[in-house]
């Protein structure tokens, strides 16, 4: 099953001109840039949390709580909150596990050891894994120019990985391997959310219920491993925690819209945008230092982003 990348919308006539409302949230390119930028802020925020000894599971729980807290009032106001059943329930459960629980636990565990910038750049590998899986499942794939953008981005990610692994501050091998698992799990989530998207389901509703189940899983895991849910850990960095919750709450409504409109391969390319944002913020906010070769790899990734945008505009 493949998703349509278009959506029927009503036009509005303002000042004698026929325009579409909310054009930004209907453009796959805009959604790509917005989602990738918001996700890029997760890396420095996660690094600060790790340095404050907030457990990765508590921080991952905070992300899902932030999403549900911002989406719930909107869904209630629009009378779109319905208890999931059947296929929608299955989607929420599996999407939570594949897309949010496993990747976020990996992400926030790796960041304190490998650095925010490097971990963010691992996101740049997800388009390659996603493209391979999309081809395997015979889903819609990019045109030649789009594939070229993905390939160039991959070259940049490889350059960054090699320079980081060979540096004096390189993390232990186990954390490099864990970092590589992040884009693989993201790719699996990208494909699953496409092939099992419930018919006529609303993006906000799917985001809410997926993260609601993720909250349940995190609480069960915390109780099973520590016997308690130590929310008090967040009191050490209250404003950072609040920022993380807000960033997450803003991210996933546009994330699910991009999934619906752009498909899995385009969605996966938020990894390129997030990688660039993560590297920049880690450098200028957290003071992380990277070699010129690493920045050269980041520049190659940026070229991949530009080519991807050009490809998407051509298709549009």
């Amino acid at each position: 099953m493949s998703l349509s990348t278009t959506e029927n919308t009503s036009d509005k006539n303002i000042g004698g001109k026929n325009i579409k409302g909310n054009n930004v949230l209907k453009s796959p390119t805009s959604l790509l840039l917005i989602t990738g930028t918001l996700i890029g802020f997760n890396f420095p925020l996660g690094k600060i949390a790790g340095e404050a000894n907030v457990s990765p599971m508590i921080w991952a729980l905070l992300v899902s709580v932030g999403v549900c807290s911002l989406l719930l009032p909107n869904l209630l106001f629009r009378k779109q909150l319905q208890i999931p059943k059947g296929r929608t329930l299955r989607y929420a459960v599996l999407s939570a596990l594949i897309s949010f629980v496993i990747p976020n636990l990996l992400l926030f565990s790796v960041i304190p050891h490998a650095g925010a910038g490097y971990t963010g750049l691992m996101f740049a590998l997800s388009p390659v894994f996603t493209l391979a899986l999309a081809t395997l499942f015979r889903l819609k794939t990019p045109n030649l120019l789009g594939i070229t953008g993905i390939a160039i981005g991959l070259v940049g990610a490889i350059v960054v990985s090699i320079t980081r692994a060979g540096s004096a501050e390189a993390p232990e091998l186990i954390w490099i391997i864990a970092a590589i698992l992040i884009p693989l799990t993201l790719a699996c989530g990208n494909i699953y959310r496409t092939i099992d998207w419930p018919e006529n389901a609303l993006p906000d509703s799917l985001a809410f219920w997926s993260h609601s189940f993720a909250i349940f899983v995190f609480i069960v895991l915390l109780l099973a491993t520590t016997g308690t849910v130590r929310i008090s850990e967040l009191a050490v960095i209250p404003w950072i925690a609040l920022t993380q919750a807000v960033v997450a709450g803003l991210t996933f409504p546009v994330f699910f819209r991009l999934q619906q409109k752009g498909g899995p391969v385009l969605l996966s390319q938020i990894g390129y945008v997030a990688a660039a944002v993560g590297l920049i913020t880690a450098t200028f906010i957290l003071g992380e230092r990277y070699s010129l070769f690493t920045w050269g790899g980041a520049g190659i990734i940026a070229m991949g982003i530009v080519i991807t945008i050009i490809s998407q505009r051509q298709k549009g």
Side-chain angles (χ1 to χ4, degrees):
M1 172 184 175
S2 60
L3 294 180
S4 171
T5 57
T6 60
E7 180 177 87
N8 293 329
T9 55
S10 57
D11 294 346
K12 296 180 181 179
N13 193 288
I14 300 177
K17 296 182 179 180
N18 195 36
I19 65 172
K20 288 184 179 292
N22 300 321
N23 282 331
V24 171
L25 295 181
K26 294 174 183 176
S27 164
T29 300
S30 299
L31 291 169
L32 173 70
L33 295 174
I34 293 170
T35 308
T37 299
L38 287 169
I39 289 178
F41 286 113
N42 282 291
F43 309 127
L45 292 170
K47 176 71 177 293
I48 295 172
E51 292 177 343
N53 294 318
V54 177
S55 75
M57 204 173 300
I58 289 290
W59 202 251
L61 171 63
L62 174 66
V63 169
S64 291
V65 169
V67 176
C68 293
S69 297
L70 266 69
L71 281 176
L72 181 58
N74 181 50
L75 289 171
L76 289 173
F77 177 77
R78 295 162 63 184
K79 298 180 180 179
Q80 294 177 342
L81 187 65
Q82 297 180 347
I83 302 298
K85 299 178 182 178
R87 184 174 177 180
T88 303
L89 177 60
R90 179 185 69 193
Y91 184 94
V93 171
L94 294 180
S95 180
L97 292 172
I98 300 172
S99 306
F100 308 125
V101 174
I102 297 174
N104 281 342
L105 286 178
L106 281 171
L107 173 66
F108 295 124
S109 297
V110 168
I111 285 176
H113 300 277
Y118 175 72
T119 307
L121 285 164
M122 284 300 94
F123 266 60
L125 291 173
S126 63
V128 180
F129 289 112
T130 304
L131 178 60
L133 290 176
T135 303
L136 180 64
F137 283 91
R138 298 182 179 180
L139 300 177
K140 185 177 180 180
T141 55
N143 58 23
L144 180 59
L145 186 61
I147 294 175
T148 301
I150 291 175
I152 291 175
L154 174 62
V155 171
I158 291 173
V159 170
V160 169
S161 298
I162 292 173
T163 57
R164 179 58 172 164
S167 69
E169 304 84 11
E172 295 179 15
L173 180 60
I174 186 174
W175 296 116
I176 293 179
I177 294 173
I180 294 174
L181 289 177
I182 294 173
L184 178 59
T185 59
L186 290 172
C188 292
N190 293 340
I191 296 300
Y192 170 73
R193 289 190 309 275
T194 294
I195 63 178
D196 202 29
W197 186 287
E199 188 175 359
N200 299 322
L202 298 173
D204 286 357
S205 179
L206 293 179
F208 175 81
W209 288 114
S210 296
H211 277 282
S212 294
F213 188 77
I215 291 172
F216 171 76
V217 173
F218 285 131
I219 291 175
V220 170
L221 289 174
L222 284 165
L223 291 175
T225 56
T226 67
T228 183
V229 181
R230 296 178 60 87
I231 298 297
S232 58
E233 293 181 15
L234 302 175
V236 180
I237 46 173
W239 290 108
I240 298 298
L242 178 61
T243 301
Q244 176 66 86
V246 172
V247 167
L250 295 174
T251 299
F252 286 95
V254 289
F255 178 93
F256 273 80
R257 281 174 172 78
L258 178 58
Q259 176 86 63
Q260 183 187 45
K261 293 177 177 296
V265 178
L266 180 64
L267 172 74
S268 70
Q269 292 171 75
I270 60 176
Y272 291 152
V273 182
V277 173
L279 188 65
I280 292 170
T281 54
T283 299
F284 292 101
I285 296 178
L286 301 181
E288 293 184 3
R289 293 292 177 263
Y290 298 93
S291 68
L292 288 177
F293 289 105
T294 300
W295 282 104
I300 296 173
I301 291 174
M303 290 175 56
I305 296 172
V306 171
I307 292 174
T308 295
I309 293 174
I310 294 173
S311 169
Q312 192 62 29
R313 290 188 178 279
Q314 286 185 350
K315 290 170 65 178

